[in-house]
């Protein structure tokens, strides 16, 4: 059996704890990731990323792994283990913070609320049936009394236990009615939670970019998010924009400095790269193409990180010249937090690409990618009325010598 890849550095504590738990479970199978992927019809590279913490797995993967290990051991999963994994998975999703993670978390919560609703409904039906049986028995007992009282020579005999049975039935019916009212309230609350979570999920799905196979998209949102970094002022308090993690030591951005003259090497900033926060110094600021003397843009800034950060193993692929209509994806940050959107190339103005879509305030400097996962350029400006902006395309960055020529 091949060894598992080590857990990635720089993970959040929550993601690291989930990865450790999954690796401990997986060790119980005593097979390779490739063999397990074939068994479950998973992609082996995806399984490896789940177990190294590079990617958060869906809950179905966690549950299936638990059941597979239990089957290997000849046991069944305990509620305690299942609850522990649920807690770890929820915490990791909350720590992830991306729109995709929020959708997963809401889906989990909706599934839990739906399960509670179905359990309450089943209990409600059982109580209704049991209550109906008790009421039928009580009516039969009352009928027996009336028949005995109507007979010429037969009087109810207190010693036959009918009175005790009558009292017990009345008490049982009282308790069943109280329990039924409680369960109906639980059912109502669970249904309200389902409705609320459905609304939240619909809103979250409207904000998240659904990436991956299908619809012509092959780009991996986790990869896009991993090299899209958030930039702050030197105190880490004011959001300045976004940037592209060019390698483990360098970030480029179009949203940091107001002018080339005002920037000087050594100016410091704070960079959020994944779960890590590191200091960075301004290595260089270069002017970008303008759109006439009345339209000036912030220069392109290159930052040198004080400490290296984890860079994805896959290479950064550069897009070619993008025609009108090309769809792009962004997974970066606004001032309010993580934000994903799709853009579309609407045309060219000078060296810039005009793009339509949700270019929100604070999204400046965010890297954009094609559906195939190729880097397309950096957002340089937002239109005043929203609904689009300008993109500094990758061929301009190449011509400036900031990025090497695409292979």
């Amino acid at each position: 059996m091949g060894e598992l890849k080590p857990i990635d550095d720089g993970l959040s504590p929550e993601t690291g704890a989930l990865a450790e738990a999954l690796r401990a479970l997986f060790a119980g199978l005593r097979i390779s990731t490739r063999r397990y992927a074939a068994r479950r019809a998973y992609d082996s590279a995806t399984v490896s990323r789940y177990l190294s913490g590079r990617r958060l797995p869906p809950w179905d993967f966690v549950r299936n792994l638990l059941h597979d290990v239990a089957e290997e051991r000849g046991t069944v999963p305990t509620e305690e283990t299942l609850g522990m994994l649920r807690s770890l998975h929820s915490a990791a999703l909350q720590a992830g913070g991306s729109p995709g993670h929020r959708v997963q978390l809401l889906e989990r919560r909706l599934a839990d609320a739906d399960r509670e609703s179905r359990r309450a409904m089943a209990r409600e039906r059982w109580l209704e049936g049991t209550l109906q049986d008790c009421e039928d028995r009580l009516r039969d007992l009352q009928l027996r009394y009336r028949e005995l009282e109507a007979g010429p020579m037969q009087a109810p005999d207190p010693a036959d236990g009918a009175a005790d049975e009558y009292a017990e039935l009345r008490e049982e019916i009282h308790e069943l009615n109280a329990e039924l009212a409680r369960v109906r309230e639980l059912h109502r609350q669970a249904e309200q939670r389902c409705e609320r979570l459905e609304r939240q999920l619909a809103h979250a799905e409207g904000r998240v970019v659904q990436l991956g196979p299908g619809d012509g998209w092959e780009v991996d949102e986790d990869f896009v998010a991993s090299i899209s970094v958030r930039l702050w002022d030197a105190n880490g308090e004011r959001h300045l924009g976004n940037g592209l993690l060019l390698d483990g030591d360098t970030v480029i951005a179009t949203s940091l400095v107001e002018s080339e003259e005002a920037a000087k090497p050594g100016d410091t900033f704070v960079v959020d790269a994944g779960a890590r926060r590191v200091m960075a110094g301004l290595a260089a600021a270069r002017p970008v193409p303008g759109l006439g003397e009345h339209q000036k843009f912030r220069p392109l800034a290159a930052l040198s990180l004080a400490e290296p950060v984890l860079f994805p193993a896959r290479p950064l692929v550069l897009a070619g010249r993008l025609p009108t209509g090309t769809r792009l994806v962004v997974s970066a940050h606004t001032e309010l937090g993580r934000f994903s959107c799709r853009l579309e190339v609407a045309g060219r103005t000078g060296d810039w690409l005009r793009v339509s879509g949700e270019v929100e305030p604070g999204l400046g400097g965010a890297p954009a990618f094609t559906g195939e996962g190729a880097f397309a350029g950096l957002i340089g400006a937002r239109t005043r009325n929203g609904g689009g902006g300008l993109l500094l395309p990758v061929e301009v960055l190449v011509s400036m010598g900031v990025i090497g020529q695409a292979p």
Side-chain angles (χ1 to χ4, degrees):
M1 176 182 118
E3 291 186 0
L4 294 176
K5 292 183 178 179
I7 291 181
D8 281 4
D9 295 330
L11 296 179
S12 67
E14 296 83 358
T15 303
L18 176 63
E20 290 283 6
L22 294 180
R23 291 163 75 89
L25 265 181
F26 185 78
L29 291 176
R30 295 173 290 185
I31 59 175
S32 67
T33 55
R34 189 174 298 279
R35 182 172 170 183
Y36 183 65
R39 178 184 296 181
R40 273 288 186 176
Y42 293 139
D43 176 71
S44 60
T46 299
V47 173
S48 180
R49 286 195 290 269
Y50 290 160
L51 297 177
S52 66
R54 288 187 61 193
R55 189 171 185 178
L56 284 179
W59 173 245
D60 283 348
F61 175 86
V62 179
R63 183 181 55 200
N64 289 342
L65 179 58
L66 176 61
H67 282 275
D68 291 340
V69 172
E71 182 181 354
E72 178 73 20
R73 296 172 177 170
T75 61
V76 293
T78 64
E79 285 297 324
E80 181 181 2
T81 303
L82 192 61
M84 180 270 291
L85 288 173
R86 281 183 181 276
S87 297
L88 290 175
H89 189 252
S90 295
L93 288 176
Q94 287 177 322
S98 77
H101 295 154
R102 175 164 172 76
V103 166
Q104 281 195 57
L105 187 60
L106 288 171
E107 287 174 341
R108 274 277 316 283
R109 290 174 176 171
L110 179 58
D112 291 343
D114 178 66
R115 183 169 55 254
E116 291 175 10
S117 176
R118 287 184 288 113
R119 285 178 177 173
M121 183 172 60
R123 175 71 174 167
E124 184 179 339
R125 288 174 177 172
W126 181 87
L127 287 168
E128 288 172 344
T130 304
L131 182 61
Q132 184 65 52
D133 289 342
C134 288
E135 290 174 342
D136 289 344
R137 287 166 55 197
L138 186 64
R139 281 193 293 270
D140 289 343
L141 196 58
Q142 290 171 335
L143 182 59
R144 279 176 52 197
Y145 263 92
R146 285 195 292 269
E147 290 174 348
L148 288 171
E149 290 173 345
M153 301 296 295
Q154 303 177 23
D157 183 1
D160 68 359
D164 290 341
E165 183 181 0
Y166 181 84
E168 290 173 0
L169 278 172
R170 290 290 301 270
E171 179 63 23
E172 185 175 357
I173 288 172
H174 175 75
E175 293 176 354
L176 285 170
N177 274 315
E179 176 68 4
L180 182 59
R182 186 185 72 83
V183 171
R184 281 174 173 165
E185 177 61 20
L186 290 177
H187 188 193
R188 184 190 67 80
Q189 292 176 1
E191 280 296 304
Q192 286 184 336
R193 281 197 299 275
C194 286
E195 292 173 3
R196 183 172 64 254
L197 287 165
E198 282 187 273
R199 291 193 297 270
Q200 292 175 353
L201 185 57
H203 177 73
E205 287 174 336
R207 298 294 299 272
V208 72
V209 182
Q210 299 293 341
L211 304 175
D215 197 27
W217 291 86
E218 300 174 6
V219 61
D220 180 352
E221 183 185 8
D222 288 339
F223 172 72
V224 171
S226 69
I227 59 176
S228 301
V229 301
R230 188 176 189 179
L231 307 171
W232 304 81
D233 63 9
N235 296 319
E237 297 175 350
R238 184 166 63 94
H239 170 86
L240 298 178
N242 300 269
L244 172 73
L245 186 63
L246 194 57
D247 53 44
D249 302 290
T250 309
V251 168
I252 58 173
T254 60
S255 56
L256 285 178
V257 292
E258 294 295 339
S259 68
E260 186 183 8
E261 293 76 17
K264 60 182 182 298
D267 286 351
T268 57
F269 304 90
V270 173
V271 175
D272 283 348
R276 292 195 60 189
R277 171 166 283 199
V278 298
M279 297 298 297
L282 181 65
R286 302 181 60 180
V288 297
L291 294 175
E293 56 181 299
H294 299 295
Q295 297 242 21
K296 297 182 179 180
F297 299 92
R298 294 182 178 182
L300 184 73
L303 302 181
S304 178
L305 301 181
E307 304 172 18
V309 298
L310 182 68
F311 190 80
R314 60 187 290 181
L316 180 66
V317 177
L318 306 185
R321 188 176 176 86
L322 301 177
T324 299
T326 301
R327 293 185 301 167
L328 307 173
V329 65
V330 171
S331 182
H333 289 84
T334 66
E335 296 178 358
L336 300 178
R338 173 69 69 180
F339 182 82
S340 296
C341 64
R342 282 187 180 180
L343 307 176
E344 183 171 314
V345 176
R348 289 181 174 268
T349 301
D351 290 316
W352 294 80
L353 289 178
R354 299 192 311 277
V355 291
S356 60
E358 296 179 278
V359 180
E360 294 289 313
L363 205 61
F369 295 81
T370 67
E372 295 75 28
F375 172 57
L378 299 173
I379 293 177
R382 174 177 180 266
T383 56
R384 290 183 179 179
N385 60 352
L390 293 174
L391 187 80
L392 188 63
V394 69
E395 67 261 23
V396 174
L397 297 174
V398 170
S399 68
M400 294 172 65
V402 176
I403 298 179
Q405 184 66 44

